Amino acid sequence: MTKRVAILISGGGSNMLALLRDMGMGGHPARPVLVASNDPAAAGLAKAAAQGVPVAAVDHRPFKGDRTAFEAALLAPLLAAEPDILCLAGFMRVLTPDFVNRFAGRMLNIHPSLLPKYPGLHTHQRALDAGDAQAGCTVHEVTPVLDDGPILGQARVPVLEGDTADTLAARVLVQEHRLYPAVLRRFAAGDRTPVLL
Ligand code: GRF
């Protein structure tokens, strides 16, 4: 039985598109059942809809920081899709422990650093400021502690002379689009062996 995957986005959704592309290949153990966003204007929603994937948007702004109320509204379309797996892909809202625990063991996120280094924001600038020779991205299981769950995959890139946060982000993003699909394919098949690229 193929696993049902819901994907949460906040913007362009390039990682979401990479997941859709891979699930569209033959022999994949999962299929997309919903793409949802906290921003009704997220460009990724139209891209997902164009591929026939059901979409939903719950604008977080009217909830004025009441995370629990926003999440209750988001859960309506999410639970209606009956996902087995939840993929956060460029989703920029911090989720409450109650929400995370509802999907314990079956919620993934991609983070643009080699965790445990640089949880949080501005990861590429922090790697540059630290003089790191390598950077990269991590897919991890989401737990109540931000960017802290068990690592399910990592991809490394070199930091090059003259790199800016933007040039490094672009190099890492290419690897994100390879890593996340590889991890989801393995995770949906019940294999939690980390993917290392
Ligand atoms: C990516 O760098 C991803 O690592 C981070 O959000 C950025 C945008 O992702 N979580 P996407 O293009 O919206 O998938």
Side-chain angles (χ1 to χ4, degrees), residues 99-122:
F99 185 99
V100 171
N101 290 330
R102 185 186 280 267
F103 296 96
R106 54 197 184 103
M107 178 153 60
L108 311 182
N109 180 47
I110 187 156
H111 179 75
S113 80
L114 294 172
L115 291 174
K117 294 180 86 170
Y118 316 128
L121 298 174
H122 312 303

Side-chain angles (χ1 to χ4, degrees), residues 60-184:
H60 69 274
R61 287 164 297 193
F63 297 95
K64 300 190 183 339
D66 182 343
R67 292 187 191 282
T68 302
F70 162 66
E71 290 173 357
L74 179 63
L75 277 170
L78 196 51
L79 296 179
E82 296 180 305
D84 301 303
I85 299 170
L86 198 50
C87 288
L88 307 183
F91 187 67
M92 303 307 277
R93 304 301 298 168
V94 174
L95 295 164
T96 64
D98 284 350
F99 185 99
V100 171
N101 290 330
R102 185 186 280 267
F103 296 96
R106 54 197 184 103
M107 178 153 60
L108 311 182
N109 180 47
I110 187 156
H111 179 75
S113 80
L114 294 172
L115 291 174
K117 294 180 86 170
Y118 316 128
L121 298 174
H122 312 303
T123 59
H124 304 305
Q125 191 56 56
R126 290 155 69 188
L128 292 171
D129 294 346
D132 293 350
Q134 282 195 326
C137 51
T138 304
V139 176
H140 63 96
E141 185 185 322
V142 177
T143 57
V145 178
L146 185 69
D147 299 332
D148 185 67
I151 289 175
L152 296 169
Q154 287 197 319
R156 294 172 179 273
V157 301
V159 175
L160 302 178
E161 191 66 34
D163 259 335
T164 63
D166 288 345
T167 59
L168 184 52
R171 190 171 310 122
V172 171
L173 195 61
V174 170
Q175 298 307 315
E176 293 179 32
H177 298 162
R178 295 178 63 226
L179 180 67
Y180 213 168
V183 171
L184 178 59

